[in-house]
Amino acid sequence: MKIIDVLRIAIGNLMRNKLRTFLTVSGVVVGISTIVFLVTLGFGLQKLVIRKTTNLEALKVITLNSKNKEESKNLNATLVKKLQDIPNVDVVTPSYYFSASIDGYEGLAPAIYAIEPSHFEVYDLKTKNGKQFTDESAKEIIVNKKLVDDLKEDQNTIIGKSFKFNITGIGQDDSTKTMDVELKVVDVLNDESPGKIGYSPFKVFADMNSNYYNIKIKVKTQEQLPEVKKIIESMGFSTSVIKNQLSAINLAFAIINGILGAFGMVALFVAAIGIFNTMTISLLERTHEIGVMKAIGGRDKDCSRIFTAEAATIGLMGGTFGITIGWGIGRLLEVIINYLASKAGPADQIPGHLFYTPPIFAIGVVVFAFLVSTFAGIWPARRASRLNPLEALRYE
Amino acid sequence: MAKAPVIKINNLSKKFMLGDIEVQALQSVSLEIYSGEFIVFFGVSGCGKSTLMSMIAGLQPPSTGSILIRGEDLAKLDSNELAQHRRTKIGMVFQAFNLIQTMNVVENISLPLAFARISKGRRIKRAENLLEIVGMSKYKNRAPNQLSGGQQQRIAIARSLVANPWIMLADEPTGNLDSKSADDVMRLLVSLNRKSKRTVILITHNPDYLQFADRVFWMQDGKVIKVEANAHAVTFNEKGKSSASKADSFSLDNESKDESKSEALEEPPAEKPETAPATPKETENKEEEAEVKN
Ligand SMILES: Nc1ncnc2c1ncn2[C@@H]1O[C@H](COP(=O)(O)OP(=O)(O)O)[C@@H](O)[C@H]1O
Ligand SMILES: [Mg+2]
């Protein structure tokens, strides 16, 4: 018998008892949509955490540190040039680090990082109002919350105010250098750091003639990062990437997703029992019919295939509806949560996408439902194939 | 003239165990049936007629003895080959009609062709041809339970013919029918035999039907006790009796029957009998070959 005819008969049989088919498919739908809902929530939260803790740009960045004083001498303009020549490197940007004091604020010693405004994004700095420096050498500063507090200022009113900073650094010749500069606050950093920190444009401090604090290298795509990292390390420098942190997040979520998936699996297992039950009842009801089919020339295989096809169809329908419904519930919840969040709090508190359905996962789930159902139909199908047609024809 | 039998049964016995009790359903039955014959197995209920028929169909194996269909021993066939044997060489008609309730008339008739992997279009065409022969064209989309017993039996006959089998096995086909429907069914069976030289084996305990047979095998207690040849087997004389729309195509006189018989004897053993509206033979054979390869 051709597959198409097996399917025709199988679907005809499923249509015959619509309520039973509906209920059996519903079992699979519940199982699959539970899995989909829970696991896509896991995936979504994973993405959300990664998105909120790091930006995607940050995943392309390698930081080149100096382990000691000797090494820090090598972090200079020459090295920046050299790094720029490594293939697939997009941006190379150095920074300074200074300690500072502020006129009128006895004992307050903030750390000042000097960075290139044109490569602001490399530092993954989130400011309250989204402001940046006006230009490459603007005498401006972005301060963090802790520093605002220690200046006894308010996060809103501090913007536009200027402070006199006394900067101390070490020159390339190991001498201590100082510099007085008045810096205007342009924005406040959105962070929870316990340290007092300020960021200013790199060029403001050119005269200090200091060694670089570190160099950040941004590669063109995330995939190229390991290769570039290796090259830099082979040059004798130690590097760090955000990836380590990321793999910890990913591991945690792999565990969470596994647990969520296992819950859904229980529901699917119950559904598989439902399919088994339905197919067995259907087999008992159709004993006579199977006997007739064999008497008029149906092979044992044809009879078992009809049953297998019925179970598989239930699985495929359950899988397809299940993923649609699981996805739909997730979307609905997402919209509601985002709506409530937008009413309740500031814009940056809206979580955005909470559910994420990777296409591979979607396909995998449907295939899985299909396989589980087919498996549940194996035993009834085998019984159908072994059925003695004469016994069956005797049932009258 | 050497006749090659379509069915050759040698010393066939069948035992059943009912708990500790042994039931001898058939005892040392030997017989030969020739192409184009109309055979009646006659005997009281429980004498082993159905058992014999199911063994010819390959639905159960003999305890001892053998069954050869055109020289081929059924014992040598595996389950797939037996299914093919039933599909291509045997057409079965039962007392209980045994139509599949969830399929409509056309689907029921064409089901054996679906097992033979023949395309839907060709199946339906063939089924519609047969519907015409059995006079049921109007009912092609009906469900079996929307038909009378006689109508269902005619559909079952159409189904048994759909794969153009050599042998028709009809096990008390009129047992559940009123006399008028029974007449219709008998007329159909007789005309199928007379017109298309098809071998028909009828199982019955109704003595009225003995007159249609070329030969009657009298059975008792699992044995054939008497074989009676009937030189002047009767064909329905349709003096206003017919109600089937295609009755004309069934009415054949004795003369043409004899003619067809002599042809049948010369027919090479491997060839199948022909029904008038069969789909072109060549293509059907191709399907068959394709199936064997599977
Ligand atoms: N599967 C079976 N198991 C046990 N006994 C059987 C079986 N099939 C047939 N018989 C017995 O074999 C005998 C012949 O049965 P059957 O061929 O059906 O007779 P008939 O068709 O002539 O009425 C009966 O006694 C019946 O009870
Ligand atoms: Mg019987």
Side-chain angles (χ1 to χ4, degrees):
Chain A
M1 200 173 211
K2 289 183 182 167
I3 298 297
I4 175 83
D5 290 316
V6 171
L7 281 176
R8 261 190 208 125
I9 292 176
I11 288 166
N13 284 332
L14 292 175
M15 297 293 284
R16 156 178 13 172
N17 204 329
K18 290 199 182 71
L19 180 65
R20 185 160 72 198
T21 303
F22 173 77
L23 292 174
T24 314
V25 170
S26 297
V28 183
V29 168
V30 169
I32 291 296
S33 57
T34 308
I35 293 178
V36 168
F37 177 82
L38 292 174
V39 175
T40 58
L41 176 63
F43 281 138
L45 292 179
Q46 181 174 7
K47 282 213 142 190
L48 181 70
V49 168
I50 292 170
R51 193 166 64 235
K52 291 284 171 181
T53 50
T54 58
N55 71 9
L56 282 174
E57 290 298 293
L59 295 177
K60 297 184 200 162
V61 173
I62 302 168
T63 306
L64 200 159
N65 306 302
S66 47
K67 275 189 287 217
N68 50 47
K69 242 190 183 152
E70 276 318 297
E71 238 182 68
S72 82
K73 289 216 164 109
N74 295 325
L75 303 192
N76 50 33
T78 330
L79 179 61
V80 169
K81 268 250 154 60
K82 229 160 105 187
L83 291 171
Q84 263 158 351
D85 290 339
I86 297 174
N88 299 323
V89 166
D90 187 19
V91 172
V92 179
T93 177
S95 70
Y96 294 126
Y97 162 79
F98 305 111
S99 56
S101 58
I102 305 171
D103 273 12
Y105 295 86
E106 198 67 33
L108 187 60
I112 304 296
Y113 293 94
I115 60 174
E116 292 183 318
S118 52
H119 300 309
F120 202 78
E121 86 284 356
V122 173
Y123 291 88
D124 193 20
L125 299 177
K126 301 222 163 56
T127 53
K128 270 194 76 170
N129 306 308
K131 289 268 173 54
Q132 296 191 5
F133 304 116
T134 15
D135 62 62
E136 293 269 301
S137 50
K139 295 199 165 146
E140 291 170 345
I141 188 165
I142 292 172
V143 292
N144 78 338
K145 283 185 196 162
K146 173 70 176 157
L147 184 53
V148 174
D149 289 346
D150 286 11
L151 288 167
K152 313 242 168 1
E153 291 281 345
D154 175 87
Q155 285 180 29
N156 294 314
T157 54
I158 194 173
I159 290 162
K161 288 190 181 171
S162 293
F163 297 88
K164 280 192 177 143
F165 285 82
N166 182 261
I167 307 288
T168 309
I170 311 223
Q172 277 165 355
D173 52 2
D174 281 349
S175 66
T176 304
K177 299 207 165 177
T178 60
M179 168 184 170
D180 286 322
V181 62
E182 190 170 309
L183 298 171
K184 192 171 94 178
V185 176
V186 288
D187 210 336
V188 175
L189 214 56
N190 229 339
D191 74 340
E192 301 301 334
S193 165
K196 305 165 276 279
I197 300 169
Y199 285 87
S200 276
F202 190 80
K203 285 204 171 142
V204 173
F205 307 94
D207 294 342
M208 297 281 286
N209 219 2
S210 274
N211 288 314
Y212 296 156
Y213 165 66
N214 68 18
I215 299 173
K216 285 191 186 273
I217 299 103
K218 194 174 105 181
V219 294
K220 282 176 185 145
T221 68
Q222 211 181 312
E223 289 72 47
Q224 292 157 344
L225 186 132
E227 202 186 319
V228 174
K229 184 169 176 270
K230 230 186 242 159
I231 296 172
I232 296 170
E233 280 168 356
S234 72
M235 291 160 70
F237 296 98
S238 55
T239 63
S240 68
V241 291
I242 202 161
K243 193 111 191 166
N244 303 331
Q245 189 186 336
L246 208 64
S247 57
I249 294 173
N250 283 336
L251 177 67
F253 272 99
I255 294 166
I256 292 170
N257 284 345
I259 293 167
L260 293 178
F263 276 115
M265 215 68 93
V266 172
L268 189 67
F269 181 70
V270 174
I273 293 173
I275 293 173
F276 180 81
N277 184 48
T278 296
M279 295 314 299
T280 306
I281 291 170
S282 177
L283 174 85
L284 296 176
E285 283 173 356
R286 277 147 62 188
T287 308
H288 179 72
E289 181 182 313
I290 294 161
V292 173
M293 285 187 169
K294 290 187 177 178
I296 63 171
R299 290 176 304 174
D300 297 351
K301 245 190 273 180
D302 296 322
C303 296
S304 72
R305 278 177 188 168
I306 290 169
F307 277 82
T308 309
E310 280 171 42
T313 305
I314 289 171
L316 211 57
M317 288 203 291
T320 315
F321 290 134
I323 193 144
T324 312
I325 288 171
W327 178 83
I329 292 172
R331 281 293 297 161
L332 192 71
L333 223 69
E334 193 171 285
V335 169
I336 292 169
I337 288 172
N338 281 319
Y339 173 77
L340 293 178
S342 73
K343 296 225 116 180
D348 64 333
Q349 297 292 315
I350 299 175
H353 287 305
L354 283 173
F355 292 85
Y356 171 62
T357 315
I360 278 284
F361 173 73
I363 296 164
V365 160
V366 177
V367 170
F368 185 64
F370 174 82
L371 291 180
V372 167
S373 309
T374 309
F375 190 76
I378 283 179
W379 189 78
R382 183 170 298 172
R383 262 185 63 175
S385 92
R386 288 183 182 166
L387 198 119
N388 179 349
L390 279 181
E391 298 282 325
L393 288 173
R394 236 189 293 283
Y395 285 123
E396 283 300 333
Chain B
M1 176 157 56
K3 297 178 183 177
V6 202
I7 302 173
K8 184 170 166 54
I9 291 174
N10 293 322
N11 212 10
L12 185 73
S13 296
K14 183 72 183 177
K15 278 185 274 189
F16 291 107
M17 294 305 293
L18 278 178
D20 291 339
I21 310 154
E22 195 181 277
V23 181
Q24 190 80 36
L26 287 176
Q27 284 183 54
S28 311
V29 172
S30 292
L31 54 88
E32 293 183 349
I33 292 169
Y34 298 94
S35 179
E37 277 193 301
F38 194 113
I39 298 291
V40 168
F41 281 93
F42 184 76
V44 294
S45 185
C47 69
K49 307 182 296 292
S50 298
T51 304
L52 181 60
M53 176 179 120
S54 67
M55 286 165 75
I56 293 171
L59 287 169
Q60 57 183 337
S63 299
T64 57
S66 63
I67 301 169
L68 282 76
I69 307 291
R70 289 253 156 114
E72 188 172 39
D73 190 346
L74 290 189
K76 296 211 174 79
L77 304 183
D78 66 20
S79 97
N80 281 345
E81 288 164 334
L82 284 173
Q84 196 188 352
H85 162 72
R86 287 192 287 276
R87 190 163 60 243
T88 58
K89 293 168 193 157
I90 306 285
M92 290 179 96
V93 180
F94 308 87
Q95 178 174 352
F97 322 135
N98 283 339
L99 297 177
I100 290 173
Q101 294 300 323
T102 49
M103 296 184 180
N104 70 20
V105 162
V106 169
E107 287 165 345
N108 261 290
I109 296 176
S110 59
L111 185 58
L113 297 183
F115 289 132
R117 303 179 63 83
I118 287 168
S119 73
K120 195 180 178 193
R122 286 182 52 204
R123 284 194 322 250
I124 288 175
K125 228 170 155 183
R126 174 88 175 121
E128 282 171 349
N129 274 333
L130 286 161
L131 272 171
E132 215 168 299
I133 293 179
V134 300
M136 293 285 295
S137 291
K138 287 198 286 246
Y139 303 98
K140 67 174 192 179
N141 291 319
R142 291 273 186 101
N145 61 14
Q146 294 171 314
L147 300 173
S148 74
Q151 290 173 323
Q152 288 195 50
Q153 195 60 298
R154 283 195 270 163
I155 299 306
I157 291 171
R159 179 179 65 186
S160 75
L161 292 172
V162 77
N164 213 5
W166 298 340
I167 303 156
M168 274 193 74
L169 299 175
D171 190 352
E172 307 200 30
T174 60
N176 284 358
L177 302 179
D178 61 85
S179 63
K180 191 189 156 299
S181 301
D183 276 354
D184 284 347
V185 165
M186 281 311 296
R187 181 181 300 110
L188 191 50
L189 287 176
V190 171
S191 79
L192 284 168
N193 170 255
R194 306 295 193 260
K195 190 175 178 183
S196 59
K197 299 170 282 180
R198 200 180 303 274
T199 311
V200 173
I201 297 173
L202 173 71
I203 288 172
T204 186
H205 50 238
N206 185 345
D208 291 352
Y209 299 150
L210 298 182
Q211 55 176 329
F212 301 119
D214 296 311
R215 283 193 295 157
V216 179
F217 290 84
W218 294 70
M219 287 187 72
Q220 196 182 325
D221 297 335
K223 283 181 274 205
V224 175
I225 53 165
K226 184 167 75 167
V227 186
E228 199 175 58
N230 186 359
H232 301 286
V234 174
T235 301
F236 260 87
N237 52 352
E238 55 291 352
K239 295 197 170 83
K241 267 183 108 183
S242 159
S243 65
S245 64
K246 274 275 161 175
D248 279 358
S249 66
F250 306 151
S251 56
L252 294 149
D253 54 25
N254 275 325
E255 205 179 79
S256 72
K257 186 211 125 196
D258 285 342
E259 210 178 274
S260 63
K261 277 219 104 152
S262 57
E263 271 171 32
L265 298 178
E266 276 148 30
E267 183 187 38
E271 217 168 282
K272 296 166 96 188
E274 273 175 291
T275 35
T279 44
K281 200 166 180 178
E282 246 179 286
T283 40
E284 202 133 299
N285 283 343
K286 264 185 214 153
E287 286 287 345
E288 225 80 272
E289 278 163 27
E291 202 186 6
V292 172
K293 276 177 205 145
N294 285 338

